Amino acid sequence: MRALRHQETSVLDATTTLFTGATLRTVDPDTEDAEAFLVHGNRFGAVGTVRECRAAAVRLGRTAEEVDLGGAVVVPGFVDPHAHPLMYGQMMSWVDCGPDKAADIPAIVALLRAAADTLPPGRPVRGYGYEHRNLAERRHPTRAELDQVSTDRDVYLMNASGHGGVVNSTTLARHGVTRDTPDPEGGTFFRDAEGELTGEVSDAACNILTGVGGVKIGRHGPNFHLGDEPAEHLRQLRAAQERFLAGGVTTIGDCQVTRREFDTYLRLADAGELRTRVGMYLLSHLLDQVIEAGMHGAFGNARLSFAGIKFYADGTLGGWTAYFPDGYVGDPCRTGQLYHEPEAYRELIAKAHAVGLQTATHAQSPDAIEMVLDAVEAAQERHPRPDTRHRIEHCGLPTPAQIARMRRLGVHPVNQTQHYYNWGEGVTEAIGTPGERFNPLGEFLEAGVPVTLSSDAPVAEPKPLEAVQAAVTRVTRRGHRLGEASLRIPAADALAAHTLGGARTLGREHEIGSITPGKLADFTVLGADPLTVDPASIAAIDVLQTWVDGALQHSTTATSTEGQS
């Protein structure tokens, strides 16, 4: 993996600050007993005893300002290598219909109707966050139920998985979708036993929501790229960025970048308002254009970089579109789908691999994961390359044999434990007892496969401490403990998975992910120690401050976060 060039703070402009009075969890065995750290400019200048850090400041010819953190706990800035920030920001203006807001379908309808009453005529009503297995009815809403919200404007309710949802009759009619409309490649218009449209749509069928001028992405996963004016997209991304920083996240991997996201990131960076680090994974329909443009590896600067290409092998477990050819236990008529024929997918991975690109493929079912591993192995045989770090996103249900192959091939799974925190019981209802192994982190650890945590925001909130707690306890929102104890991992490993592990998947472990001299000064200040508190209370730990490049970007303990260092 090629290291990225970074923007250095000028020696003349650099400030030097000594931080003391905190418990340090550095995620670096060489500095794990440290009691203080020195930030010089935008880097960690020293990590060790207070005396050692003061001596380092003297060697730099500086008198360090000293900051006593008052008994707080400091960890590296959290790295969230799989999220969708612009989508998240967009949905922050939608109606929250998640389990904390609505326990049944009438409650969802009431929330959406109340929102419709406040919107200008014709403005679409958009909701998000429902998971049908969390509803009292244990099913998806229908278009007839959403027609109770409005019959003269579009209504769209996105499933928590992000891979589909439900629309009202007006939306279907506006786009000419009838009972006779064929399903698009890579998507489904669901029908009832009589062949009538239910209003449920999945993956490429969501293209109808983007309009004629929208992003048509076909076999490339869910289409959540709803268009707004550029200024509105900037507002949405700013709002999302604040939420990531509030969770202690300093680096984000955006795992579905189209021109919409690319343009918005560039605008925000040009305005000097990109306050987190972002690594972009461009969606696979742009692969040929990426190669033609000569983007044959990671590049960029320390704030905004191109990291690789995002693919989809199958759908989602939450929406029952992950590929299980023998059908779902919860609905034998559903099998989910593969987005590509195996041979076609193999050629796409080979094309990306041959020019030096990292790939990140969404795959949940064993069949989909097998397709990814076969393609990576074939690409390596054709063009051997060391340390490619091809990724499998979510990697929900790999077999033990597949985990061993990941180790051998150097494949990095990127998991989201908040998925099973939010709806883990639904996986076992969907596919039976094998679902208890969902995200088998303990098996990864035992096999020597890198463990990496992320949020998949907006599928889950960008709250790394919630993800860490779920990894340690495997207890769901409803109090069910998922799977055997061997699937859990210790708190120290979970912390590393959401810091240094994320940095490794982005190819940036030499720059970020631990509190190590010479690395960029990204760190998060917590109100308690996630390694020593009761594991069931990790998610409740307060994030007090978030620092990026040695500058304070979020704080609940200071009146201003502008320009502090």
Side-chain angles (χ1 to χ4, degrees):
M1 304 284 290
R2 284 207 291 269
L4 298 168
R5 296 179 60 191
H6 23 262
Q7 298 170 323
E8 299 287 352
T9 301
S10 162
V11 173
L12 294 177
D13 296 335
T15 58
T16 306
T17 307
L18 173 60
F19 292 86
T20 64
T23 297
L24 305 187
R25 298 300 187 187
T26 63
V27 193
D28 179 347
D30 292 333
T31 60
E32 62 183 6
D33 295 324
E35 62 181 16
F37 61 97
L38 185 75
V39 172
H40 178 63
N42 65 345
R43 293 185 176 272
F44 294 115
V47 184
T49 66
V50 173
R51 181 177 180 179
E52 289 169 337
C53 290
R54 285 177 178 154
V58 171
R59 288 195 298 273
L60 291 168
R62 296 300 181 111
T63 299
E65 175 188 355
E66 297 196 13
V67 175
D68 187 331
L69 291 171
V73 177
V74 176
V75 299
F78 288 107
V79 179
D80 192 341
H82 181 121
H84 309 282
L86 184 52
M87 176 193 180
Y88 179 53
Q90 192 166 43
M91 288 175 58
M92 286 168 62
S93 64
W94 296 10
V95 181
D96 183 354
C97 298
D100 294 333
K101 302 292 184 180
D104 54 30
I105 292 172
I108 289 176
V109 170
L111 287 169
L112 295 175
R113 187 184 292 145
D117 290 342
T118 67
L119 292 173
R123 180 78 60 83
V125 179
R126 296 169 179 169
Y128 73 96
Y130 87 96
E131 213 307 305
H132 63 282
R133 284 173 293 269
N134 286 336
L135 296 174
E137 297 85 355
R138 314 285 285 174
R139 64 170 174 82
H140 296 273
T142 66
R143 66 183 172 107
E145 287 162 330
L146 294 193
D147 289 345
Q148 298 172 31
V149 176
S150 178
T151 57
D152 60 3
R153 67 175 89 205
D154 288 356
V155 179
Y156 173 47
L157 175 62
M158 180 182 282
N159 184 269
S161 70
H163 280 248
V166 185
V167 298
N168 66 343
S169 298
T170 300
T171 304
L172 295 170
R174 189 186 304 273
H175 298 287
V177 180
T178 71
R179 61 176 290 155
D180 299 319
T181 300
D183 290 337
E185 288 188 344
T188 304
F189 297 114
F190 288 91
R191 295 165 170 82
D192 62 21
E194 285 72 45
E196 294 294 336
L197 294 167
T198 67
E200 185 186 352
V201 294
S202 72
D203 295 320
C206 298
N207 281 347
I208 65 170
L209 300 166
T210 64
V212 175
V215 181
K216 302 302 182 184
I217 56 179
R219 290 183 174 272
H220 305 281
N223 193 346
F224 47 62
H225 303 270
L226 281 71
D228 281 314
E229 291 299 316
E232 176 62 11
H233 281 322
L234 282 172
R235 186 200 66 77
Q236 292 161 354
L237 191 53
R238 289 189 196 102
Q241 185 173 238
E242 290 295 335
R243 291 282 186 91
F244 279 93
L245 289 166
V249 176
T250 56
T251 298
I252 306 166
D254 188 324
C255 266
Q256 189 159 321
V257 173
T258 67
R259 292 181 182 88
R260 180 190 83 150
E261 285 80 12
F262 205 165
D263 176 71
T264 308
Y265 283 127
L266 289 174
R267 289 173 185 268
L268 200 65
D270 285 346
E273 297 182 67
L274 191 58
R275 296 164 54 214
T276 59
R277 307 189 194 284
V278 176
M280 298 179 292
Y281 286 83
L282 271 62
L283 202 51
S284 56
H285 73 295
L286 298 171
L287 175 60
D288 288 340
Q289 295 172 55
V290 166
I291 293 174
E292 183 180 353
M295 299 163 63
H296 296 173
F299 72 90
N301 61 40
R303 284 296 173 99
L304 183 63
S305 61
F306 165 65
I309 302 291
K310 169 69 177 295
F311 294 85
Y312 281 82
D314 70 346
T316 171
L317 285 162
W320 292 17
T321 58
Y323 183 59
F324 290 91
D326 296 328
Y328 282 77
V329 170
D331 184 351
C333 294
R334 290 201 187 193
T335 62
Q337 63 187 319
L338 292 176
Y339 284 106
H340 303 276
E341 292 298 324
E343 183 58 36
Y345 172 78
R346 188 178 299 120
E347 288 305 312
L348 289 170
I349 296 299
K351 181 186 291 188
H353 174 89
V355 299
L357 291 170
Q358 183 193 31
T359 65
T361 302
H362 170 122
Q364 289 279 28
S365 76
D367 290 80
I369 292 168
E370 189 77 5
M371 185 174 80
V372 177
L373 295 175
D374 286 347
V376 170
E377 187 165 36
Q380 282 283 33
E381 289 173 353
R382 192 184 305 181
H383 297 285
R385 285 175 46 214
D387 198 21
T388 55
R389 302 191 200 181
H390 293 300
R391 298 171 37 161
I392 299 181
E393 308 306 301
H394 314 305
C395 199
L397 291 163
T399 66
Q402 289 171 339
I403 293 173
R405 286 186 76 190
M406 288 180 212
R407 174 73 174 88
R408 179 168 59 83
L409 293 170
V411 169
H412 286 234
V414 179
N415 296 109
Q416 296 79 29
T417 53
Q418 288 163 287
H419 285 194
Y420 62 68
Y421 171 71
N422 286 322
W423 40 266
E425 299 91 344
V427 180
T428 58
E429 292 171 15
I431 65 170
T433 54
E436 291 284 321
R437 287 184 63 255
F438 186 37
N439 280 192
L441 302 189
E443 294 181 16
F444 290 146
L445 203 62
E446 179 68 23
V449 171
V451 179
T452 305
L453 298 181
S454 62
S455 70
D456 198 17
V459 178
E461 291 290 316
K463 296 180 177 179
L465 291 168
E466 186 174 89
V468 169
Q469 175 176 307
V472 174
T473 67
R474 288 186 69 87
V475 173
T476 71
R477 179 185 290 273
R478 289 194 246 165
H480 172 67
R481 191 181 297 278
L482 198 67
E484 302 293 332
S486 61
L487 299 173
R488 304 172 218 157
I489 62 174
D493 292 296
L495 176 63
H498 223 321
T499 52
L500 191 57
R504 286 196 182 105
T505 64
L506 294 170
R508 303 188 65 175
E509 72 272 23
H510 301 299
E511 294 185 302
I512 58 175
S514 66
I515 299 175
T516 300
K519 286 192 176 185
L520 295 166
D522 299 353
F523 59 96
T524 299
V525 182
L526 305 176
D529 188 348
L531 305 194
T532 61
V533 300
D534 179 351
S537 65
I538 293 173
I541 294 173
D542 290 328
V543 175
L544 304 179
Q545 296 179 350
T546 305
W547 296 70
V548 181
D549 270 336
L552 183 59
Q553 296 293 349
H554 168 82
S555 178
T556 62
T557 60
T559 57
S560 173
T561 63
E562 293 298 319
Q564 298 187 50
S565 59

